[in-house]
Amino acid sequence: MSPPENPNGGAAAAAPSEPAPPAKPSSSKGKKKDDKKDDDLSEEDLALKEQLELYVVRAQDVDPGVQRLALESMRQEIRSATSSMTSVPKPLKFLRPHYGTLKSYYETMPESELKKYMADILSVLALTMSAEGERESLRYRLLGSEGDIGSWGHEYVRNLAGEIAQEFQKRQGDDMPIDELMELVQQIVSFHMKHNAEPEAVDLLMEVEDLDLLVEHVDSTNYKRTCLYLTSSSRFLSSPDDTLALDIAYTIYMKFEDLASALRIALLLDNKSIQYVKQVYTATDDLVLKKQFSYIIARHGLAMEIDDEIAADENDKEMLQEIVNNTKLSEGYLTLARDIEVMEAKSPEDIYKVHLIDGRGASSSLDSARQNLAATFVNAFVNAGFGQDKLMTAPSDSSSSGSSGNWLFKNKEHGKASAAASLGMILLWDTDSGLAQLDKYLHSTDTHVVAGALLGIGVVTCGVKNDCDPALAILMEYVNKDDSNIRIGAILGLGIAYAGSQKDELRVQLSAILGDPQATLEVLVFTAVALGLVFVGSCNEEIAQSIIFFLMERSEAELAEPIIRLLPVVLGLLYLGKQIAYFGELFQESVEATAEVSKTFDEKIRKYCDVTLMSLAYAGTGNVLKVQKLLGICSQHLEKGETHQGPAVLGIALIAMSEELGAEMAVRSLERLLQYGEQNIRRAVPLALGILCISNPKVNVMDTLSRLSHDADADVSMAAIISLGLIGAGTNNARIAGMLRNLSSYYYKEAAHLFCVRIAQGLVHLGKGLLTLSPYHSDRFLLSPMALGGIVTVLHACLDMKSTILGKYHYILYIIVLAMQPRMLLTVDEDLKPLPVPVRVGQAVDVVGQAGRPKTITGFQTHTTPVLLAAGERAELATDKYIPLTSTLEGFVILKKNPEYHEE
């Protein structure tokens, strides 16, 4: 509210000789109030107030000299007071009543330097005075002098930035020029960047859609914080702003030669991945750095050829390719195992710990074939990657259970397949010895054993590539055999061995099988699954179309088969995380042919495809709108026989898992679904919780699952048991292990439940606690598509356990191997030999946008590498003797000697 001006008809009307009467409210009430106010002020303040009122009067003087002096003095007063900002500065407070007066006087001033001076002052006064949405501060700023805005203090600059954002929106809408705004933006950004307010600079540039400006304003002291803010906020931006923010961060990292960080962003920007990755490699000649990049790429699972551009020398090229191919993984993993002293093989009995369970159910002889099958899986999960166990690799005389052959034949029919394949998991990543040991089973007369060995070959080479492709050579021979078991083993083996590699040769071969009229339905489904895994996230239209045609050609009876539910998952895998929207609303141009087709689908399958595709296409993006849409789908009441709500529930978890906040909110939404949802929704909720906290046993989720594991509905309780295994996967979590032991005695008469309990026990002790199933790595920054693809496939199979995992397709569980990774930090020297150094390991702290240099970890302990990193933990070097070549200490990290380090 501007105060009434003096009654003489405006401030400028006073006669030139006498000074203008001070502008004071004329009513007597106002006077009394003012006097009372004045009484409260200290002497200093009173003096200041009178001084300022005098300046206001003088500023309206006719003599320009007097005016200039008055404005100059006012300016000094305001400037000296706005430097610290805890309350409204006194000069601004005392000048408030005169804002209107000065404003009207300003309008009458002739164009001159003085008028600009006055505009500057009005602009600052508008900070506390102007009405909401008027943007007066900005208006006067643009009319004022071109001076340095920073001298008016931080608060003024922030206020301006806010007004610029609003003004920008308005001008864009009205197609008005924005050049003068952009000049101001330049000034503000440079001010923010100099004063450690990087987030504010970034926010302003996002508002005015000109992030490119950032690159010239960052310097070596603040680029890390700027990029951290850019990458963290990119998760909350809608497309295409998110990619733009990452692009700018990539450019800044490249500018300051922080190449390892640039590489991580290159891997996140998947549409430009390969081209950016090459840029990072070619930006340096340092071979050791290139080795570090190769480790990061291997961990992410990107299939990449090292060409002459990246390394000219043949030996270097071979070495880098070896690292990218992950051939060093087994060796590093075993180094860790030796260091932690867990090399000794464990038997399933060591895991069940029957002696800790009270009395009953200890020696239940129920369905021993299924018990043995469970033991096969437990044994495979626990000894994964160690190369030795007590069932499959033990020498015949020493172990009580006889030689490996004997254990194999303690399983029935398809159980033998899983037993043979378990050898692949025990020898995980060690391709040479794995292929040698599996070879003997390929000559077996039992088709199940051969099928299992073929699957085992896929498992053992999972994530480890080889230039001569032994797996491809062996498995291709068996793909077209008559026996459908053998075909499935070979096909699934190929899918696991070459997941994410997008090998064209496989597309040709496997697509041919899809069109084979002789093949059984299960062979066709697993062929599709293999194609989905190999081409995960590739948006390959040909494959998508062939799967859709395949679904259209099926009869009603075939579509009712439970295993058919894996086909929509395959469609989703092809578009995993690519944010290509919906089936019914035309898939963008790229999939027009496919979408037209979907109209003729069987209605149930169409809905199932819709939901599955959407949930996978947005997996890991945190897209809130899609989560809402899926929650909407879950709130409908369906008629019998529709099953698409299960995938919708899983979808909520898949989309929300990308960041902590979203995950917490999803957990709460899932609680609601448990209370109000129908049965088919409740069955999926435990699995969704399993994805959200995979290998990260959060107490609240653990309690919910523990409660559900005693649910009256068998499907809900089995899903909850499996999920207890998922959230505890590879953590050896004692509390979950205890829960599962109790469940094993509680369900000792229920064969199916007991099987689930065993699988969960195997998962909790995965790799004796050295492995993780989390698809995220690099400080939860990167999502490995293959890992996620493996998890999703297994969980969708678990939506109908009775006919998949508990039926004859239990070997689907081996697909989870795609997500298995050592949760280690292994430091090596420049020759890639292990190098023990002290590191601090503690809970990671989110320091985005915090002032100063806050600690990035809390509650740390100091260990010597190699060390294990639990979910949410971070490591930093505890010595200055070495410099790590990457800022994120995870997996293999190469250390360089610090040239400036001097021993004490």
Side-chain angles (χ1 to χ4, degrees), residues 11 24 34 42 58 72 125 138 157 220 320 413 428 468 485 494 500-501 511 543 582 610 625 647 656 743 767 822:
K24 278 209 172 169
D34 259 27
S42 65
R58 290 270 179 84
E72 192 50 65
L125 290 180
L138 177 62
V157 178
S220 56
L320 292 176
E413 301 165 4
L428 187 59
C468 52
N485 287 323
L494 284 170
S501 66
S511 300
I543 299 175
Y582 227 153
D610 265 356
L625 299 172
L743 286 166

Side-chain angles (χ1 to χ4, degrees), residues 334 342-350 372 375-396 398-405 407-408 418-428 437 440-441 768 814:
L334 292 172
V342 289
M343 279 306 288
E344 192 189 339
K346 280 197 150 113
S347 67
E349 286 70 37
D350 298 338
N372 286 352
T376 298
F377 278 109
V378 172
N379 184 51
F381 286 148
V382 172
N383 296 305
F386 285 91
Q388 50 182 25
D389 72 322
K390 292 186 175 169
L391 299 184
M392 296 297 296
T393 58
S396 50
S398 66
S399 97
S400 53
S401 62
S403 71
S404 61
W407 179 256
L408 195 62
S418 276
S422 74
L423 190 55
M425 187 166 295
I426 292 160
L427 296 161
L428 187 59
Q437 293 201 38
K440 58 175 184 272
Y441 295 131
K768 300 176 197 159
Y814 283 120

Side-chain angles (χ1 to χ4, degrees), residues 263-394:
L263 178 65
R264 288 204 166 82
I265 291 181
L267 292 173
L268 195 59
L269 288 165
D270 42 30
N271 45 358
K272 308 180 181 160
S273 243
I274 293 291
Q275 151 203 356
Y276 273 10
V277 168
K278 288 222 163 123
Q279 281 178 14
V280 173
Y281 265 108
T282 46
T284 176
D285 295 327
D286 184 348
L287 183 66
V288 183
L289 249 181
K290 288 183 182 177
K291 290 180 195 170
Q292 181 65 66
F293 301 157
S294 305
Y295 276 129
I296 295 173
I297 286 172
R299 171 66 182 90
H300 191 60
L302 184 71
M304 191 174 104
E305 287 289 314
I306 299 285
D307 55 20
D308 296 337
E309 279 177 68
I310 292 176
D313 180 70
E314 278 302 314
N315 293 343
D316 294 351
K317 206 154 82 180
E318 200 172 301
M319 174 158 34
L320 292 176
Q321 189 66 58
E322 268 195 356
I323 299 178
V324 169
N325 288 349
N326 240 338
T327 35
K328 306 259 183 242
L329 186 58
S330 176
E331 194 185 313
Y333 177 61
L334 292 172
T335 306
L336 169 76
R338 280 189 208 99
D339 191 82
I340 299 180
E341 299 178 359
V342 289
M343 279 306 288
E344 192 189 339
K346 280 197 150 113
S347 67
E349 286 70 37
D350 298 338
I351 302 302
Y352 301 161
K353 297 206 166 86
V354 180
H355 60 275
L356 295 179
I357 304 169
D358 307 331
R360 68 169 178 170
S363 59
S364 151
S365 60
L366 248 173
D367 185 3
S368 62
R370 177 169 278 182
Q371 292 275 21
N372 286 352
L373 179 61
T376 298
F377 278 109
V378 172
N379 184 51
F381 286 148
V382 172
N383 296 305
F386 285 91
Q388 50 182 25
D389 72 322
K390 292 186 175 169
L391 299 184
M392 296 297 296
T393 58

